[in-house]
């Protein structure tokens, strides 16, 4: 299955928007208010777009066996979600979702409760939505598809740059507050997370949207604080031993 770059990008955008709609619907119902999910400003969640593209390119060989396709979709999307969580945590010193309290989870990054829907979505992508979407694309001229793809790519790229600056503020704000609190008695991840959220809400509407989109956001400072505390205790112990001498 080989298509033009424009076709793959438009397919990516369709599923990114569909993923955003699904996320917003589920989270809004859960919170009983509208929540604009996703890291980006626009109505799309790229992780769903990437998941659909990976399934389309890598798993088409399994379309003759729906059971194999189901499990391969679970594995493919599970790896994608795990790596996304890991990379985002390392880049921005924050955990954006945490499944630690759910059964059968792996380091809180993925869990059985979300992996099974991935398998179902994989079946839907290959057997239902892809044929419909690609058939629709086939009715449009290649020139038109290219123009639409270029325009959307420009909008998406600008959004990505702005959103990256906004998300990066989570790390910079955490680092700043952590330095300001150095030497103080506060050594609580939840308390620091609350302070980071409060500081972000004061920055701009885009920062407030990000905090509202990820209410479970938690800054990763505990390990660093623990290391500082251990060094402090070691210094105190060393001084105490020298005093006894």
């Amino acid at each position: 299955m080989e298509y033009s770059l424009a076709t793959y990008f438009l397919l990516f955008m369709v599923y990114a928007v569909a993923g955003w709609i699904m996320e917003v619907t589920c989270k809004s119902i859960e919170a009983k208010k509208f929540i604009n999910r996703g890291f980006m400003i626009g109505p799309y969640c790229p992780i769903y777009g990437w998941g659909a593209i990976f399934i389309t390119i890598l798993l088409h060989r399994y379309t003759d066996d729906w059971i194999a396709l189901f499990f391969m979709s679970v594995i493919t999307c599970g790896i994608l979600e795990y790596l996304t969580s890991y990379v985002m945590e390392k880049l921005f010193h924050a955990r954006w979702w945490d499944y630690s309290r759910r059964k059968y989870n792996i380091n809180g990054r993925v869990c059985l409760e979300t992996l099974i829907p991935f398998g179902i979505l994989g079946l839907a992508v290959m057997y239902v939505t892809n044929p419909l979407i690609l058939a629709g694309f086939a009715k449009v001229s290649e020139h038109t598809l290219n123009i639409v793809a270029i325009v959307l790519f420009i909008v998406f790229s600008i959004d990505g740059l702005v959103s990256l600056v906004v998300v990066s503020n989570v790390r910079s704000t955490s680092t700043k507050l952590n330095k300001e609190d150095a030497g103080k008695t506060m050594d609580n991840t939840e308390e620091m997370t609350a302070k980071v959220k409060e500081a972000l809400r004061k920055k701009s509407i885009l920062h407030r949207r990000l905090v509202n989109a990820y209410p479970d956001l938690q800054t990763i400072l505990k390990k660093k604080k623990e290391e500082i505390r251990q060094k402090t205790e070691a210094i105190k112990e060393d001084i105490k031993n020298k005093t006894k001498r």
Side-chain angles (χ1 to χ4, degrees), residues 53-116:
I53 293 299
F54 287 150
I55 289 172
T56 300
I57 295 175
L58 301 176
L59 306 185
H60 64 89
R61 70 189 70 178
Y62 300 105
T63 51
D64 292 334
D65 186 346
W66 70 269
I67 296 179
L69 178 60
F70 174 86
F71 284 106
M72 290 305 296
S73 296
V74 167
I75 294 172
T76 300
C77 294
I79 291 173
L80 176 61
E81 184 177 35
Y82 189 98
L83 290 178
T84 300
S85 172
Y86 180 83
V87 172
M88 291 293 289
E89 181 177 318
K90 294 302 178 182
L91 287 177
F92 305 112
H93 289 178
R95 174 162 289 202
W96 303 86
W97 62 84
D98 190 356
Y99 302 134
S100 298
R101 296 182 180 180
R102 300 186 184 185
K103 291 183 177 180
Y104 312 112
N105 73 84
I106 302 177
N107 297 329
R109 303 185 191 280
V110 295
C111 69
L112 186 63
E113 189 176 327
T114 60
L115 290 177
I116 292 178

Side-chain angles (χ1 to χ4, degrees), residues 174-239:
S174 297
T175 302
K176 179 181 178 181
L177 291 175
N178 194 30
K179 288 181 179 179
E180 290 177 355
D181 287 317
K184 297 182 181 180
T185 57
M186 190 186 74
D187 187 28
N188 182 282
T189 302
E190 287 71 25
E191 187 176 347
M192 179 59 78
T193 297
K195 292 191 68 174
V196 170
K197 288 182 177 181
E198 182 182 356
L200 290 173
R201 287 192 179 97
K202 294 178 180 179
K203 286 182 178 292
S204 73
I205 188 173
L206 297 180
H207 293 87
R208 289 195 295 273
R209 187 206 71 79
L210 183 66
V211 173
N212 292 333
Y214 292 92
D216 295 329
L217 166 69
Q218 187 175 52
T219 54
I220 306 300
L221 301 168
K222 195 171 185 179
K223 183 177 180 181
K224 186 175 181 181
K225 290 272 190 174
E226 182 63 25
E227 291 174 351
I228 293 174
R229 183 167 57 250
Q230 288 178 357
K231 289 180 180 179
T232 302
E233 290 177 352
I235 293 173
K236 289 181 178 179
E237 186 65 26
D238 185 52
I239 293 173

